[in-house]
Amino acid sequence: GIWRPINLNFWNNYKIEDLHFTQKIENTDAIINAEIEVESLINNSDVVAEIFVDKKKVLRNLVNLNKGFNKLIIPFKIKNIEKWWPNGMGNQKLYEISVSLVGQNYQTQSTKSIGLRTIELLTEKDSIGENFYFKINGIPTFMKGVNYIPQDIFTPRVNEDDYKEILKSAVEANMNMIRVWGGGIYEEDIFYDLCDQYGLLVWQDFMFACAMYPGDDDFLKSVEEEAIYNVKRIRSHPSLALWCGNNEVLSAWENWGWKNSVINTQSKEIADKIYNSYENVFHDILPKVIDKFDKSTSYWPSSPGSSFGEKESFSSGDVHYWGVWWGKEPFSTYETKIPRFMSEFGFQSFPEYSSVLKYTEIEDHNIYSDVMKSHQRSSIGNQTIEEYMLRDYKKPNSFKNFLYVSQLLQAEGISMGMEAQRRNRDICMGSLYWQLNDCWPVASWSSIDYYGKWKALHYKVRNAFKPLIVSHEFLDSNLQIAVISDLKDSFYGEVEVSCFPFKGDSLLKKWTKKIDLKPLEANTVLSI
């Protein structure tokens, strides 16, 4: 049903319908184009356009308005700019820019906050295949982040405080990117406003996920209108880093047996028709909308994927890796399966005991009870958590302890993947795990449960995503110690490794190594 506000707006003379700013940064200045869409009921030849930056007037121009739709493009300059930076790289300076049109005792005004920055998605051929990374203000930036889903099954229940709490938790965990998953919603304006303020770059999926879609003219027109509306609504936010066509649709068609099933049960002609509809949406309509309305933001047709129409590959593009969890592979696989950009990987845990008490009775306190199985998102969920747990832990002696150890298990496994991806930043330039939050009380891959409580994973994320970390792996019977830096400056220091017996505190041996780390570098500094 209708779940966002409906307004009936009355106006006369003329009205600013849309305001957008494009920018070009030249040294310490920014050249801005104010693109103003105006609907006018009459011809107006003596309208004055005024532009204010942080309430200071920077421009006054005379403009003509014709009856009907008008698009005005007015250039102006901001000198000695302060750039907008993602979380962990600098400040999130926002400029408040107002445009007013004044004439014949009538005025209309529109205001937007923008950040001055450059964001580029690089997909260039290299010795491995094709890289996939973001440059922010000219700096190659490792993306540390997460996949985000709607915060509640009933979306109107989510208020501004809920948005602040969940996004602040992402910032506190040293993240710099949020992927808005294509199976949810185009988020509320407050979501993008807060991402601007907090320095969280937004990977924005269009709302298509895990399905093939119709190709009739009415549906395609609806897709186009929906895309135009949301692109124009979101495009001015400095946090917006990428538009992505869909979640896992190409992967499902090529890798999950969907195409072959259609060919085998129906015909190749029907399969071709279905894929042609896919191409119409994701290779034609959506990129054309982006090119027309938000040319400065990159478009990626499907996640995961290696390029336009090409299924995922570890040598190019982005990867969703589910060998751990669905494939039952050990956590150590994360240390060898290194893609160019990891946009999904995850492992489940239960909410903490106090959260589970909100939807269970004492007689339900068994992970295989009907209530516990009902509050489980995955078809293989509870038994998979137990199977992995028994690989590394003794079986907990109570239901409460089982919930607790499930969180330790999730935290250890996923942080192992994050660190491996960061250690290999010469190959991989992004680590977005699945998932940040829940939309109901449930066992899931989230690091924060439905009630806003951090799981153990979120604390591990906070450590694994720090700007400077020491990380390790065992390789060929050696303990490899790496230091990873996301700092924009060099780091000079010393690594100290101490070896103690498992019981007792007598020092067995100590290794020290002076290090000189370049900006944005990951290096193995000790091999023991």
Side-chain angles (χ1 to χ4, degrees):
I2 295 167
W3 56 277
R4 280 178 169 148
I6 294 173
N7 300 296
L8 186 59
N9 300 318
F10 294 88
W11 57 277
N12 56 25
N13 212 328
Y14 49 85
K15 179 176 181 288
I16 296 176
E17 293 282 4
D18 187 71
L19 177 62
H20 177 52
F21 299 100
T22 61
Q23 54 181 273
K24 182 180 180 182
I25 296 176
E26 296 180 346
N27 299 319
T28 60
D29 300 338
I31 310 299
I32 311 291
N33 278 335
E35 298 184 356
I36 312 157
E37 293 182 6
V38 184
E39 189 72 30
S40 182
L41 299 178
I42 58 175
N43 292 320
N44 287 276
S45 58
D46 58 350
V47 176
V48 174
E50 296 180 325
I51 297 178
F52 300 82
V53 177
D54 291 342
K55 299 183 178 176
K56 180 182 177 182
K57 189 186 294 185
V58 297
L59 183 141
R60 188 176 189 274
N61 267 5
L62 193 65
V63 297
N64 292 322
L65 296 178
N66 297 315
K67 185 177 179 180
F69 174 81
N70 297 260
K71 183 168 183 178
L72 310 174
I73 298 179
I74 303 175
F76 63 98
K77 181 183 283 191
I78 302 177
K79 295 184 176 182
N80 300 316
I81 63 170
E82 182 181 347
K83 291 181 180 178
W84 182 95
W85 290 96
N87 180 41
M89 296 181 73
N91 296 325
Q92 289 77 50
K93 167 62 180 175
L94 296 173
Y95 290 87
E96 183 182 271
I97 305 182
S98 297
V99 174
S100 64
L101 301 177
V102 185
Q104 297 179 347
N105 298 317
Y106 183 82
Q107 178 174 345
T108 180
Q109 182 173 313
S110 182
T111 301
K112 284 196 173 178
S113 292
I114 70 166
L116 301 176
R117 85 291 182 267
T118 60
I119 299 178
E120 304 168 83
L121 173 65
L122 280 298
T123 55
E124 305 161 328
K125 291 191 181 302
D126 61 12
S127 59
I128 300 171
E130 215 169 79
N131 55 34
F132 186 104
Y133 71 95
F134 292 87
K135 264 189 180 181
I136 313 298
N137 295 326
I139 296 177
T141 303
F142 191 99
M143 292 301 151
K144 299 176 290 190
V146 69
N147 289 260
Y148 167 94
I149 67 171
Q151 294 180 55
D152 200 293
I153 286 293
F154 297 99
T155 48
R157 290 202 296 212
V158 184
N159 59 41
E160 185 172 337
D161 287 341
D162 296 323
Y163 281 107
K164 286 180 177 178
E165 184 176 348
I166 198 72
L167 293 175
K168 278 183 178 176
S169 291
V171 171
E172 289 169 12
N174 296 303
M175 296 183 197
N176 60 15
M177 177 171 271
I178 297 274
R179 177 181 175 229
V180 179
W181 171 64
I185 60 171
Y186 299 99
E187 266 299 344
E188 303 287 345
D189 291 339
I190 183 63
F191 174 89
Y192 303 101
D193 289 340
L194 290 171
C195 286
D196 293 344
Q197 293 171 32
Y198 296 161
L200 292 170
L201 293 162
V202 175
W203 169 316
Q204 178 68 54
D205 281 5
F206 285 94
M207 291 301 117
F208 300 93
C210 305
M212 302 305 288
Y213 291 86
D216 59 278
D217 289 343
D218 285 347
F219 181 78
L220 295 180
K221 183 63 179 172
S222 173
V223 167
E224 182 180 34
E225 290 180 1
E226 179 179 294
I228 290 170
Y229 172 79
N230 284 290
V231 168
K232 291 176 74 172
R233 179 171 70 92
I234 299 168
R235 62 184 174 178
S236 290
H237 289 276
S239 55
L240 179 63
L242 182 71
W243 292 102
C244 180
N246 68 71
N247 174 76
E248 296 184 344
V249 179
L250 179 64
S251 189
W253 183 248
E254 295 288 349
N255 295 345
W256 301 0
W258 290 10
K259 177 172 69 174
N260 290 337
S261 176
V262 174
I263 292 172
N264 294 334
T265 60
Q266 299 178 70
S267 68
K268 185 177 183 302
E269 287 72 26
I270 290 178
D272 290 343
K273 183 178 180 181
I274 292 171
Y275 188 71
N276 184 62
S277 299
Y278 174 94
E279 289 196 312
N280 284 337
V281 174
F282 302 111
H283 296 171
D284 183 37
I285 292 172
L286 295 182
K288 282 181 178 176
V289 168
I290 299 299
D291 186 62
K292 182 174 181 180
F293 295 100
D294 191 17
K295 198 182 290 285
S296 62
T297 305
S298 294
Y299 172 76
W300 189 245
S302 183
S303 179
S306 56
S307 63
F308 268 70
E310 299 295 328
K311 60 184 180 180
E312 68 184 307
S313 162
F314 273 78
S315 61
S316 303
D318 74 310
V319 163
H320 295 186
Y321 185 65
W322 288 102
V324 174
W325 184 257
W326 293 108
K328 305 289 185 72
E329 295 173 3
F331 290 132
S332 58
T333 312
Y334 285 138
E335 298 186 319
T336 55
K337 294 285 190 177
I338 307 293
R340 309 314 302 269
F341 192 105
M342 185 73 90
S343 48
E344 266 193 37
F345 68 111
F347 191 89
Q348 276 199 353
S349 71
F350 293 97
E352 67 174 68
Y353 186 63
S354 65
S355 293
V356 173
L357 286 177
K358 294 179 186 292
Y359 61 87
T360 60
E361 303 290 348
I362 294 299
E363 58 265 28
D364 304 317
H365 287 182
N366 179 305
I367 65 165
Y368 297 112
S369 71
D370 287 343
V371 169
M372 290 299 291
K373 286 192 293 185
S374 295
H375 288 258
Q376 165 56 262
R377 177 64 184 86
S378 172
S379 58
I380 63 167
N382 294 0
Q383 63 267 37
T384 300
I385 294 173
E386 183 174 42
E387 179 181 329
Y388 272 86
M389 188 185 294
L390 295 179
R391 295 178 189 179
D392 293 325
Y393 296 87
K394 293 181 179 179
K395 188 170 183 176
N397 60 6
S398 69
F399 176 75
K400 183 177 181 180
N401 286 343
F402 195 100
L403 303 181
Y404 178 75
V405 175
S406 80
Q407 292 199 14
L408 301 184
L409 178 72
Q410 179 195 37
E412 186 66 25
I414 297 307
S415 64
M416 186 182 295
M418 294 169 180
E419 290 190 25
Q421 290 145 29
R422 290 191 68 188
R423 282 197 304 271
N424 291 276
R425 67 172 289 145
D426 57 326
I427 299 170
C428 178
M429 282 293 283
S431 180
L432 311 182
Y433 69 93
W434 181 270
Q435 67 206 60
L436 177 63
N437 58 310
D438 286 324
C439 58
W440 74 302
V442 66
S444 82
W445 303 265
S446 71
S447 62
I448 300 176
D449 75 17
Y450 174 72
Y451 301 106
K453 295 176 180 177
W454 286 24
K455 295 180 178 179
L457 173 57
H458 210 78
Y459 293 93
K460 272 283 197 177
V461 172
R462 184 173 64 182
N463 290 334
F465 280 168
K466 283 180 178 177
L468 186 72
I469 65 168
V470 178
S471 180
H472 76 276
E473 66 176 321
F474 291 97
L475 193 64
D476 300 328
S477 300
N478 289 328
L479 174 62
Q480 307 274 26
I481 306 294
V483 181
I484 304 156
S485 173
D486 286 335
L487 303 174
K488 292 188 288 182
D489 299 313
S490 298
F491 177 82
Y492 305 95
E494 188 173 83
V495 171
E496 180 180 290
V497 180
S498 300
C499 179
F500 297 90
F502 191 74
K503 293 182 178 180
D505 57 2
S506 56
L507 179 66
L508 298 177
K509 193 167 184 178
K510 182 158 68 173
W511 297 261
T512 60
K513 179 73 177 291
K514 292 190 182 300
I515 57 170
D516 179 357
L517 214 59
K518 296 175 183 174
L520 314 172
E521 187 175 40
N523 258 342
T524 299
V525 296
L526 265 177
S527 182
I528 300 170

